[in-house]
Amino acid sequence: MTETFPVPTPAAWRDLAQKALKDRPIESLVHLDADGLAVLPLYAEANGTGALSAPRGSDADERAWDLRTRVEREDPEAVNAAVLADLEGGAASVILSGTVLDDSEPLGRALAGVAMELAPVALDAGLRGPDAANALAVAAKGSPRARLMFHLDPISAFAGAGGSPRSIGEHVSLAANTAARHAGAYPEATFFLASGRVVHEAGGSAGQELGFAAACAIAYARAAVDAGMTVEAALRGTVLGVSVDAEYFDSLARVRAMRLIWASISRAFGHEMVARIEARSSRRMLSERDPWPNLLRLTAAGFAGAVGGADAVVLDGFTRARGRPDAFARRQARNTQLVLMEEAHIGRVDDPAAGSWFLDSRTRQLAEAGWAAFQAIEAEGGVIAALKAGTIQSRVATARAATVAAYEKGAAHLVGVTKFVDPDVREAPVEAAASVTVGTGGDRCESLSPVRFAEAFETPETEMAR
């Protein structure tokens, strides 16, 4: 005889929850996030939304996602050694930054022995992006199958620095012209990174991050068309950047929401296509005093990126809050993804969040919040005009204040910082990093400066108070 389990009703759950809460009202279980969205304690057919699907569109060489690492050294030979070690150690692609991007000769030495047809190379050059893109194009030696990722994103660099050497409009036009110039020679390349990471790292909400990324995507697509690219080529050459942190349910919902927003954007341009999403781990969640719990946070972030369906996942070193991660920290970041991919088999199921009342509802919530934030930016004249006017920064400041208040009141916690603090901290080494200065003789705006929420609790005064 087949036995079936009883199906509890929402009313039965409510009765049990009320008994457990005793004198507290059932409404005390409802949580409001930085976007003002309500997160309910229970989701079911009665209060959920319709099922949705937001799977990743790519297959990273028969892997579920692209394991992408970051190399930041300045010496070309040291960069080359680090890149080859990462690729041999399981990475599928790399992101390069630093002075090695300034010219094709050192960049060519840094990429010696790297088959760019098989291992994509991405750039993180900020406002120097067009020069770095030209250097990478030369280093690729005209191979039409080279999988280059120029990651041109001058708007984020402008927002983070609070200024630019020339007008930000000129920087965007220069980036678009650079993309148009290389599009024919490198048909497998992507050109723009439309990311909301600068908003996230400044303390912004999920909706604000998604809206900023969408507004950047629109700005780059329009500039690319003005530079002579087709709409389809401009959209296909855009990678969307999303942050993932230790709040893994919200992070994976954020990745899925970005896919829904992109579907609407590309459809509006008349060329609906699948999004390409690069998920990077959050830096605002990291602790400096005791960096070891960051390994747990980064694992949660990697899990979120993979389950959420990101095409590529980039995890920082666990010592990032102290300085530039050394080889050990970078190996830990790489191996975290390898364990998730090859031992935990995360990614074997396509869009595993689909069908969850909570995750489908949360995905739709964040997509709607992101779309509303995007519409607000467009109504203000676009992302550049909104940054110059300071309206984006003002909204981010409000969201940041709400998150800070949650930590101060104990409504949210950072393990190892505000709760379960280890009195005996083990040291973790970092590397010295060269400082990069950005000229600001052109346009200016209020900077979206990065924050780190643990910092306020890591001072000697707060440690004594604990």
Side-chain angles (χ1 to χ4, degrees):
M1 187 177 75
T2 303
E3 294 186 15
T4 59
F5 292 99
V7 179
T9 64
W13 172 86
R14 188 179 183 89
D15 290 340
L16 291 173
Q18 194 64 70
K19 289 178 183 178
L21 289 169
K22 297 180 181 178
D23 296 330
R24 291 169 56 201
I26 201 81
E27 288 74 22
S28 65
L29 297 177
V30 177
H31 166 68
L32 290 179
D33 68 7
D35 284 305
L37 304 174
V39 180
L40 307 178
L42 181 70
Y43 287 80
E45 185 174 5
N47 62 357
T49 61
L52 59 86
S53 178
R56 66 172 58 85
S58 65
D59 183 357
D61 294 329
E62 300 183 355
R63 284 176 158 186
W65 70 90
D66 179 337
L67 195 169
R68 188 165 294 166
T69 64
R70 183 183 177 95
V71 177
E72 305 169 71
R73 296 172 179 172
E74 283 71 38
D75 177 69
E77 280 65 38
V79 171
N80 183 249
V83 168
L84 294 178
D86 280 354
L87 295 175
E88 291 169 2
S93 61
V94 296
I95 298 174
L96 302 180
S97 63
T99 56
V100 74
L101 303 180
D102 290 346
D103 189 75
S104 59
E105 192 279 328
L107 184 55
R109 284 191 284 142
L111 293 173
V114 177
M116 284 180 267
E117 298 85 355
L118 303 175
V121 175
L123 305 176
D124 185 0
L127 291 168
R128 299 178 297 113
D131 289 338
N134 293 334
L136 181 61
V138 173
K141 300 177 182 178
S143 171
R145 294 195 303 152
R147 296 160 65 184
L148 310 180
M149 297 176 290
F150 295 115
H151 272 22
L152 297 163
D153 188 11
I155 296 174
S156 289
F158 170 67
S164 53
R166 58 181 81 181
S167 77
I168 184 57
E170 289 181 81
H171 283 287
V172 172
S173 295
L174 181 58
N177 282 309
T178 301
R181 186 167 62 254
H182 296 304
Y186 296 103
E188 298 296 319
T190 58
F191 305 103
F192 306 104
L193 177 65
S195 173
R197 183 167 173 254
V198 68
V199 166
H200 172 85
E201 299 296 2
S205 68
Q208 291 165 356
E209 177 187 357
L210 294 170
F212 188 89
C216 287
I218 292 291
Y220 295 146
R222 289 170 175 162
V225 171
D226 289 343
M229 294 179 71
T230 66
V231 171
E232 184 177 7
L235 296 177
R236 198 173 302 282
T238 300
V239 175
L240 302 165
V242 179
S243 300
V244 285
D245 58 24
E247 300 293 333
Y248 48 83
F249 281 146
D250 265 12
S251 291
L252 71 88
R254 193 154 58 235
V255 175
R256 299 175 82 225
M258 189 75 257
R259 287 203 181 279
L260 300 184
I261 292 172
W262 177 255
S264 295
I265 289 174
S266 61
R267 191 183 307 122
F269 274 104
H271 294 276
E272 185 172 359
M273 59 184 64
V274 177
R276 298 189 191 188
I277 296 179
E278 178 188 272
R280 296 196 194 186
S281 61
S282 166
R283 293 183 178 179
R284 76 184 197 185
M285 70 172 176
L286 300 178
S287 59
E288 177 184 0
R289 174 188 173 272
D290 185 2
W292 298 95
N294 291 333
L295 290 167
L296 300 177
R297 298 184 183 99
L298 290 163
T299 300
F303 171 88
V307 174
D311 299 277
V313 178
V314 186
L315 294 187
D316 243 327
F318 72 101
T319 57
R320 169 63 67 180
R322 290 190 167 198
R324 192 167 71 181
D326 66 357
F328 172 74
R330 290 177 48 251
R331 180 164 63 88
Q332 289 297 316
R334 186 177 70 240
N335 287 349
T336 295
Q337 289 205 59
L338 288 174
V339 170
L340 289 170
M341 182 184 293
E342 298 180 2
E343 295 186 29
H345 299 291
I346 302 299
R348 292 280 299 271
V349 176
D350 195 12
D351 197 14
S356 161
W357 290 114
F358 167 58
L359 292 176
D360 281 348
S361 295
R362 189 63 176 157
T363 297
R364 198 175 298 278
Q365 261 191 328
L366 295 184
E368 291 172 353
W371 191 257
F374 160 65
Q375 288 181 314
I377 293 172
E378 289 297 289
E380 293 161 352
V383 64
I384 293 175
L387 283 170
K388 289 182 179 179
T391 54
I392 291 174
Q393 296 90 325
S394 177
R395 290 190 288 266
V396 169
T398 300
R400 180 174 62 245
T403 303
V404 169
Y407 285 122
E408 290 176 343
K409 294 176 182 177
H413 292 284
L414 288 165
V415 173
V417 179
T418 63
K419 201 170 187 179
F420 308 117
V421 180
D422 188 348
D424 300 315
V425 177
R426 291 177 295 153
E427 288 298 313
V430 294
E431 294 180 349
S435 60
V436 177
T437 57
V438 177
T440 56
D443 279 343
R444 292 182 178 275
C445 70
E446 180 186 347
S447 172
L448 281 172
S449 301
V451 298
R452 195 170 55 78
F453 291 125
E455 187 173 9
F457 303 93
E458 293 177 328
T459 64
E461 293 78 9
T462 55
E463 289 182 19
M464 288 179 63
R466 286 199 297 267

